[in-house]
Amino acid sequence: MLSTDDHRRDSAGLRYVYPVVSRRAGGVSVGINLNTNNACNWACVYCQVENLTRGGPPPIDLDGLEQELSGFLADAVHGDFMQRQVPPEARRLMDVAFSGNGEPTSAPEFAEAVARVGKVLARFELLGKLPVRLITNGSLLHRVEVQAGIRQLGEFGGEVWFKIDRVDPTAAAEVNGVSLVAERVFRNLELCAGLAPTWVQTCWFALNGETPSAAARKAYCELLKPLASRLAGIHLYGLARPSMQPAASRLTRLPAEELSAFADEIHKKTGIRVSVSP
Ligand code: SF4
């Protein structure tokens, strides 16, 4: 049986496709991992990927991906996968999510992978019924081929979860391991929201015993406010599972009340709806 703690990418014995019972999605999420080498262009301190390295994925075997997804859906929809592997309360498919061991859009084949997923879903009469999600750090939205993939995902009735954890460059460097420029993040988010329904996903926690400051909260709200009418909302979440990075011991979960208070502040200052998962 898969449990909500079982987020191993190899739980179905496949290369690209991994089912998880997702806390966020509330059922079985069919994950698509393009980053089979655990390489990401970011290095978030809370990342749950073991043996995370910097870089991009190896070439994607698109036919293999298509076959794996077809085979898995055949077992999940027509076979006994749910009975064999999933607790009774979670026996329904929630989404197909590009969410792997690294940044999915860094694969040059990303747009083609989205197209293949759409093709398979159409074959199972699930296109437009089973949402296709992209969990991304949004850093590559300036690439035309990434935009093409997201546009297509939007046409499939899908949505994007776009990571913004901290706005201040120093904090972003500490939390995400990259140098971010707020204007570029804004531009990429704006672009993304124009292509597909876009949620901002934000991981909020204390680092080295320090809760993000009032200035950090203010900068975050100011960045997002101008896009309020174009965003689907914000997912604000705490440290759901332990970090697999060397910095793990420097992270502390915040009390649920603190996350709720920040969610209220965001909503009050920006008008954007916020869902909280402490
Ligand atoms: S962007 Fe995602 S996969 Fe990449 S380091 Fe951050 S949490 Fe890990």
Side-chain angles (χ1 to χ4, degrees):
M1 286 270 170
L2 295 169
S3 76
T4 46
D5 298 324
D6 189 350
H7 283 247
R8 285 171 300 151
R9 307 293 189 213
D10 61 353
S11 52
L14 302 171
R15 189 164 165 220
Y16 295 114
V17 174
Y18 65 98
V20 289
V21 176
S22 169
R23 181 177 77 105
R24 285 181 291 183
V28 177
S29 177
V30 185
I32 307 277
N33 175 30
L34 300 181
N35 305 69
T36 52
N37 57 351
N38 304 336
C40 188
N41 62 342
W42 284 20
C44 304
V45 280
Y46 56 80
C47 186
Q48 292 143 14
V49 175
E50 282 179 70
N51 304 316
L52 179 76
T53 56
R54 287 276 188 166
I60 309 297
D61 171 6
L62 290 162
D63 292 337
L65 167 63
E66 195 179 325
Q67 281 160 16
E68 279 193 9
L69 184 60
S70 278
F72 174 74
L73 287 178
D75 195 12
V77 175
H78 306 302
D80 63 356
F81 170 80
M82 294 289 184
Q83 282 69 28
R84 273 189 351 255
Q85 298 279 327
V86 184
E89 65 277 10
R91 285 181 185 158
R92 60 186 184 128
L93 293 174
M94 292 300 292
D95 65 1
V96 175
F98 283 92
S99 161
N101 290 356
E103 171 52 36
T105 65
S106 60
E109 305 89 344
F110 167 69
E112 183 56 26
V114 173
R116 298 289 186 110
V117 165
K119 192 171 145 195
V120 175
L121 290 180
R123 223 181 286 143
F124 283 85
E125 298 184 354
L126 289 170
L127 191 62
K129 294 179 192 157
L130 196 61
V132 183
R133 295 201 163 89
L134 166 66
I135 316 296
T136 178
N137 62 31
S139 58
L140 302 173
L141 251 295
H142 54 279
R143 292 187 183 168
V144 175
E145 62 275 18
V146 172
Q147 295 168 20
I150 294 176
R151 186 178 297 111
Q152 195 163 27
L153 188 134
E155 286 162 7
F156 294 164
E159 63 183 26
V160 180
W161 290 14
F162 187 116
K163 184 189 294 297
I164 299 180
D165 294 322
R166 305 290 182 272
V167 171
D168 170 71
T170 310
E174 262 199 310
V175 168
N176 304 117
V178 279
S179 56
L180 287 185
V181 178
E183 291 74 27
R184 175 181 262 231
V185 173
F186 181 87
R187 255 200 326 275
N188 280 355
L189 180 61
E190 188 176 33
L191 255 172
C192 192
L195 297 167
T198 300
W199 291 79
V200 170
Q201 52 158 350
T202 299
C203 190
W204 206 244
F205 56 91
L207 188 58
N208 302 323
E210 282 180 32
T211 305
S213 64
R217 299 199 308 269
K218 184 167 177 266
Y220 177 93
C221 293
E222 282 176 357
L223 183 87
L224 297 185
K225 189 174 177 193
L227 294 176
S229 62
R230 280 173 278 172
L231 292 174
I234 295 170
H235 294 301
L236 181 66
Y237 58 102
L239 294 170
R241 292 180 295 279
S243 162
M244 291 296 164
Q245 307 315 311
S249 62
R250 299 197 284 124
L251 318 185
T252 321
R253 286 181 82 147
L254 294 173
E257 309 78 64
E258 213 158 311
L259 258 76
S260 294
F262 183 38
D264 290 345
E265 180 181 344
I266 298 168
H267 184 66
K268 207 166 128 203
K269 288 185 177 163
T270 68
I272 304 170
R273 70 174 151 149
V274 186
S275 74
V276 185
S277 306

